[in-house]
Amino acid sequence: MTPAKMLPGLLLGAALLPAAAQAASGDTIIYCSEASPESFNPQIASSGPTFVASSQVLYNRLVTFDPKTNAPVPSLATDWKVSEDGLVWTFTLRQGVKFNSNKFFKPTRDFNADDV
């Protein structure tokens, strides 16, 4: 492609850069993924991109994984025990955790087992 043919695209790109930078500020979430998520609700996620975009980026989990060893490490649960038969899992929840608040929602209590 010749420089003359590239010029309109370059000008358009240069004109859009300030708009993109402005959109990235404030209350905007920018997330790069291999595909668009279907929703941001992990309970109804049926695709990998949806599950990753919602449950791994937006929500804290009880347990997460160490990125180097892939071993489970505490997150919202500080400790957990598994019964001998493997059927009952008991989690100790982190104290003092509140839900995110905004102008429409102000949490009145810490999260508890009912929330999990």
Side-chain angles (χ1 to χ4, degrees):
M1 184 177 283
T2 65
K5 289 185 178 179
M6 291 174 50
L7 186 59
L10 290 173
L11 291 175
L12 178 62
L16 292 177
L17 280 176
Q22 186 176 14
S25 65
D27 294 334
T28 301
I29 295 174
I30 296 178
Y31 178 77
C32 297
S33 175
E34 68 273 12
S36 296
E38 299 161 347
S39 80
F40 288 105
N41 184 346
Q43 288 81 18
I44 61 172
S46 63
S47 70
T50 299
F51 182 74
V52 170
S54 59
S55 68
Q56 294 183 8
V57 178
L58 297 178
Y59 299 102
N60 291 85
R61 296 176 283 173
L62 288 176
V63 178
T64 190
F65 294 93
D66 183 293
K68 293 180 182 175
T69 65
N70 209 29
V73 293
S75 183
L76 289 175
T78 58
D79 189 35
W80 56 92
K81 295 176 185 154
V82 183
S83 64
E84 286 189 29
D85 61 7
L87 297 177
V88 177
W89 290 58
T90 305
F91 292 91
T92 303
L93 301 179
R94 186 173 306 283
Q95 299 295 307
V97 175
K98 299 217 181 292
F99 287 96
N100 189 23
S101 64
N102 58 42
K103 64 182 177 180
F104 303 109
F105 177 73
K106 300 284 185 224
T108 58
R109 61 173 175 79
D110 290 350
F111 100 111
N112 61 39
D114 291 335
D115 300 319
V116 175

